[in-house]
Amino acid sequence: MSSSIVINEVSKSFGQKKVLNQINLTVKSGEIFGLIGPSGSGKTTLVKIIVGMESPSQGDVKLLNTTVPNLKLLQRIGYMAQADALYSDLTGEENLAFFASLFKLKKEEQIKRIAYAADLVNLTVDLKKKVQNYSGGMKRRLSLAVALIQNPEILILDEPTVGIDPELRQSIWAELYRLKNEGKTILVTTHVMDEAEKCDRLAMVRDGEIITSGSPAELKELYGITSLEEVFLKAGGNQL
Amino acid sequence: MSIAAMVKRIFHQMLRDKRALALMMVAPLLILTLLNYLLAGNTVDPRLGVMNTDDNLVERLKDSNIIVLQVEESSKEILLEKDLDGILEINGDEVSLTLTNDQPNAAKSLQIKVKQAIAAEKAKEQGENLSAFMERIKSQFPEIPVKMEQVKAPEVTTSYIYGDKDTLFFDQLSPILVGFFVFFFVFLISGIALLRERTTGTLERLLATPILRRDIVFGYLLGYGLFAVIQTIIVVTYAVKVLDITLVGSFWNVVIINLTLALVALSLGILLSAFANSEFQMMQFIPIAIIPQVFFAGIFPFESMAGWMQILAKCMPMYYGGSALVDVMYKGLGLSTIRNDLLVLLGFALVFIVLNIVALKKYRKI
C-alpha cells in the first residue's frame, strides 16, 4: 500500500521555543491515522504543517508524493481546523456553497455535494439557518461538512468530535469508516482515548515528540496493558 | 471564479448587516445635511455700545450692519448686562474699543468694521476741511482759478473665476467631505471585515483552499468597491439634488475619484487590519491614519502650511483626493486636470495591494 502522508524529520520552533522535535511519520493510503496527545503537545502545529499553513523549521512533508506547500494539493485535502472557521452571518448552506465554489465545483456538483455533506452531518434541515444560531455541536458538524465538500482524497481533521454528543460522534465515526472504505486517507487528532481505539494506527504525541506509535492492539501488547490510556501514561513515563 | 465567490459572499454579508449598510449609506447624508445647515446659518449682527460718538459715525456704523446702542459708561457689567459685543468710546482724539471677544472671529470682524467706519468718517472730515480751505484761498485770490475735482469713489465690479458671489465655504468644503466619507466608511467596514476573518479563523480556513492570495485581496477590493460606488452615487446625488451643493464638473468624474479613493481606503483598511487583534484596536487606527487625512484634504490651504507640513500633506491620499474633488465639483475642471491626482492615488492603492498580498504569506507561504 502506498503512503499518502510522509513526514520527514520535521522540527518547528517559534522563536526559542521548540514545539516539534524531529517528527517522522507515515500515513498509508486508506487508513485512519490518529494523533493522540494532550492539549499543547504540538498536534495542531503538526497538522498545520501538513496542510501547509505553517512551514517547518527543518524537514519536509509530502502528501500524495507532492511536497507541501502546493496549491494544487490543497484541492485534494479536506481540512477541518480546531476552531470553527465559519461565517456566522451566513446560513449553513451559504457557507458550504462558498467553500464549494472556492474548490471550483460546478453548479450541479455543488448542489449534490452540499446535499451529501449536510446529510452526512445531519444538518439538512438546518441548512437555511444562520450559523450564528447554531449550537456548538452544529458548528462542529458544519465544519466537518466543509472539509468534505470537494470530495478530497485526504482528510485532515483537528479534533473533529469536540463538543459533539455521543450519538452523533458514533455516526461521524461510522462515516469516517465509510470514507476510509472508499479509499480515503484520514488523519485525525484527538485527546479522547476511546477514539484512539477506533483508529487503524496511531501516534502518541507529547511535548512535540512522538513517544510511541503503532496499531492500538500492537501498542497494548507492547506495553502489556489493556487500555490505551495506560499505554499513554506508560509510554510518557518512560520518556521522562 | 474564486474572486466571484468572494464578492458574492461579501454581498450576502453586507446586505444582511443592516447597520453597517446604514452606516455606509445613510450616515454621510446625515452629517452632510447637518453641516449644510450649520455653515449656511445667517450671521448675527454685532451689538455695539457707543459713548460720545457723533451722529454721523453712528449712521456709518449702522450702515455696516451693526446694532448701535447708547451707553453711559464702558464697563464689563454694561457689556454683559446689555449683551453687547463691544463698546466704543470717543474722547476727542482718543478712541477706545472694548471687545467682549467671546467669539474671536466675530470680534475681529466687528473691530474691522468699526475701524473702517472711523477712518471713513475721518476722511470725510478731512475732505470737508480741505474744501473749506480751498474756498478760503479762492476768496482771497479771486483772479487765480483754483479748481478742485471731487474725487468719486471708484466703482468696483467683481467677477469670479470659480463660483459666484453667493458661494459659501460649504461649497468648497462639501467635495472634500464627500470624498472623506467614502474614504472613512470604506476603510472602517472593509478593515473590520477582514479583521473578523482573521480572528474567527476563516481567513486561515480560506487559505487551506486552493484560492490564490491575490484573489482574496481582489475579492475584497471588488466586493466592497461595489458598495463604495453605490455609496458615492447616493452621497453625491443627495448633495447635489437635495442640498443643492455646487457640482460644476462631471458627476461621473466625481464617481471615478471616489472610487479611486475607496480603492486606497480599502487596501489600507485591510492592510492595517493585519496589525490589529480586535475591533477596538482597529478603531485605534482612526485617530492615526484617518483623522489627519481631513486636515490635509484642502480644508486648510496647502500654500500656508509650513514646509515640512507640505511634505506630510503629500504623503496623504486624501490630499490628492480632496484636491481632485474640489477641481471637479467646485472648479468644474476635467479629467486631464485631475489625472495626476488619480495616478498618485492609484499608486498608493497599488503599493497597499502588493503589501496585502505579501502580508497574507503569514498564513500560507504560496
Side-chain angles (χ1 to χ4, degrees):
Chain A
M1 203 180 265
S2 65
S3 306
S4 283
I5 305 175
V6 180
I7 300 170
N8 179 33
E9 293 286 315
V10 163
S11 298
K12 175 76 183 174
S13 309
F14 292 110
Q16 290 295 313
K17 196 170 177 285
K18 200 149 205 176
V19 184
L20 293 175
N21 190 17
Q22 299 195 326
I23 304 276
N24 285 296
L25 203 69
T26 304
V27 179
K28 292 179 212 144
S29 294
E31 71 174 347
I32 300 182
F33 193 95
L35 273 179
I36 325 287
S39 313
S41 56
K43 293 184 308 256
T44 296
T45 308
L46 184 56
V47 163
K48 282 188 177 176
I49 288 175
I50 295 171
V51 182
M53 311 222 296
E54 294 278 2
S55 47
S57 307
Q58 272 139 42
D60 59 73
V61 176
K62 273 189 180 151
L63 263 65
L64 304 162
N65 297 321
T66 314
T67 306
V68 172
N70 180 295
L71 272 189
K72 284 201 182 107
L73 202 54
L74 288 170
Q75 183 75 30
R76 302 162 74 184
I77 303 171
Y79 169 59
M80 175 177 172
Q82 197 166 25
D84 295 306
L86 301 164
Y87 297 97
S88 57
D89 38 6
L90 300 184
T91 65
E93 190 171 25
E94 285 163 348
N95 267 284
L96 288 171
F98 173 61
F99 282 105
S101 38
L102 291 185
F103 284 109
K104 302 186 167 52
L105 298 191
K106 297 265 175 314
K107 197 82 203 158
E108 313 88 69
E109 207 188 344
Q110 269 192 34
I111 296 168
K112 238 188 279 169
R113 289 300 301 175
I114 289 172
Y116 163 81
D119 180 55
L120 176 73
V121 295
N122 234 339
L123 279 178
T124 308
V125 289
D126 299 303
L127 272 185
K128 304 278 181 206
K129 279 190 203 156
K130 277 192 209 172
V131 171
Q132 61 200 22
N133 300 325
Y134 277 25
S135 70
M138 286 161 82
K139 285 182 193 162
R140 214 68 204 119
R141 279 140 61 192
L142 186 61
S143 296
L144 180 61
V146 170
L148 293 168
I149 199 72
Q150 87 277 27
N151 199 10
E153 292 158 60
I154 300 180
L155 275 172
I156 294 170
L157 313 174
D158 201 357
E159 309 236 354
T161 54
V162 171
I164 292 185
D165 60 78
E167 205 178 327
L168 193 70
R169 204 156 80 182
Q170 214 154 34
S171 79
I172 285 178
W173 272 98
E175 190 52 38
L176 292 185
Y177 281 124
R178 215 183 59 73
L179 291 166
K180 166 191 142 89
N181 290 336
E182 278 179 18
K184 296 194 194 309
T185 310
I186 302 169
L187 180 81
V188 165
T189 77
T190 179
H191 59 252
V192 190
M193 286 301 158
D194 67 336
E195 288 198 341
E197 295 272 9
K198 296 179 173 140
C199 302
D200 295 324
R201 286 197 311 137
L202 49 95
M204 293 188 169
V205 189
R206 177 180 272 186
D207 296 330
E209 295 190 23
I210 292 180
I211 51 178
T212 186
S213 65
S215 73
E218 275 168 17
L219 288 179
K220 277 187 261 189
E221 199 181 332
L222 182 67
Y223 291 94
I225 12 188
T226 49
S227 92
L228 278 172
E229 197 141 18
E230 283 174 68
V231 171
F232 187 78
L233 291 171
K234 206 154 187 186
N238 287 349
Q239 199 73 19
L240 288 171
Chain B
M1 176 122 164
S2 303
I3 298 180
M6 290 285 296
V7 171
K8 193 175 159 196
R9 196 203 81 214
I10 288 170
F11 261 68
H12 272 304
Q13 288 178 308
M14 270 302 273
L15 292 177
R16 224 158 267 175
D17 190 351
K18 298 281 183 286
R19 278 181 69 145
L21 211 55
L23 180 76
M24 215 174 166
M25 304 300 169
V26 185
L29 307 189
L30 192 72
I31 301 173
L32 269 180
T33 312
L34 281 176
L35 268 176
N36 185 32
Y37 285 108
L38 278 174
L39 292 175
N42 294 320
T43 46
V44 180
D45 290 340
R47 294 161 60 86
L48 180 71
V50 291
M51 278 172 75
N52 304 330
T53 46
D54 64 273
D55 292 346
N56 289 334
L57 181 60
V58 170
E59 278 312 308
R60 221 173 254 284
L61 288 171
K62 281 183 178 164
D63 284 347
S64 46
N65 293 329
I66 296 174
I67 300 166
V68 183
L69 290 94
Q70 293 291 339
V71 290
E72 269 69 56
E73 55 163 338
S74 169
S75 68
K76 192 178 170 189
E77 285 70 36
I78 300 269
L79 266 174
L80 298 181
E81 186 195 313
K82 301 213 166 178
D83 192 22
L84 299 173
D85 295 302
I87 291 180
L88 177 68
E89 191 183 352
I90 296 179
N91 285 320
D93 279 346
E94 263 184 47
V95 180
S96 68
L97 176 67
T98 314
L99 292 167
T100 317
N101 204 23
D102 55 346
Q103 289 176 42
N105 268 339
K108 281 262 154 41
S109 95
L110 176 62
Q111 188 188 12
I112 291 167
K113 280 179 178 175
V114 169
K115 274 185 179 165
Q116 281 173 344
I118 294 173
E121 205 44 43
K122 281 270 182 279
K124 204 178 129 204
E125 244 170 68
Q126 204 91 56
E128 276 162 9
N129 288 345
L130 193 64
S131 45
F133 174 69
M134 301 290 269
E135 285 304 315
R136 245 187 7 254
I137 293 178
K138 235 193 233 173
S139 60
Q140 282 178 17
F141 307 97
E143 65 279 11
I144 304 173
V146 179
K147 256 216 212 134
M148 165 108 171
E149 264 171 42
Q150 201 72 33
V151 182
K152 240 178 55 190
E155 192 83 8
V156 178
T157 49
T158 316
S159 53
Y160 301 84
I161 308 268
Y162 307 124
D164 53 41
K165 65 178 169 48
D166 294 323
T167 311
L168 297 169
F169 178 49
F170 188 60
D171 286 305
Q172 195 218 336
L173 186 65
S174 57
I176 296 168
L177 287 178
V178 167
F180 179 68
F181 289 141
V182 173
F183 192 85
F184 177 66
F185 291 115
V186 167
F187 169 85
L188 201 61
I189 288 172
S190 65
I192 286 183
L194 189 67
L195 178 77
R196 220 176 272 162
E197 287 224 49
R198 288 178 203 276
T199 53
T200 57
T202 49
L203 185 61
E204 206 173 64
R205 185 64 191 81
L206 267 184
L207 285 159
T209 74
I211 190 171
L212 297 170
R213 277 181 287 129
R214 63 165 181 269
D215 284 357
I216 295 181
V217 176
F218 290 143
Y220 260 78
L221 294 180
L222 202 61
Y224 286 101
L226 286 171
F227 280 98
V229 173
I230 300 169
Q231 185 198 32
T232 298
I233 291 176
I234 291 178
V235 172
V236 177
T237 309
Y238 180 84
V240 174
K241 299 278 181 233
V242 182
L243 298 181
D244 211 18
I245 288 171
T246 325
L247 170 61
V248 187
S250 144
F251 180 87
W252 294 108
N253 279 352
V254 177
V255 174
I256 290 172
I257 298 168
N258 275 0
L259 191 59
T260 326
L261 263 179
L263 204 63
V264 179
L266 265 164
S267 45
L268 179 66
I270 58 180
L271 183 64
L272 287 184
S273 79
F275 304 99
N277 292 318
S278 66
E279 268 102 337
F280 181 55
Q281 289 195 349
M282 194 67 206
M283 305 292 276
Q284 288 165 2
F285 282 118
I286 295 173
I288 301 166
I290 303 299
I291 304 288
Q293 305 263 352
V294 194
F295 303 143
F296 296 99
I299 295 177
F300 302 107
F302 177 75
E303 289 74 16
S304 63
M305 289 177 197
W308 63 275
M309 290 283 270
Q310 293 193 350
I311 294 169
L312 198 62
K314 296 209 164 166
C315 302
M316 305 268 179
M318 264 312 289
Y319 166 74
Y320 303 95
S323 127
L325 282 166
V326 171
D327 280 353
V328 171
M329 290 184 73
Y330 181 63
K331 299 182 179 170
L333 302 174
L335 210 52
S336 57
T337 323
I338 58 169
R339 196 182 55 218
N340 283 344
D341 286 330
L342 287 180
L343 286 178
V344 175
L345 284 176
L346 286 174
F348 272 111
L350 190 70
V351 171
F352 293 149
I353 289 168
V354 170
L355 286 176
N356 266 309
I357 297 172
V358 173
L360 284 176
K361 278 198 174 179
K362 183 178 156 194
Y363 298 92
R364 192 180 71 195
K365 296 289 174 283
I366 46 166

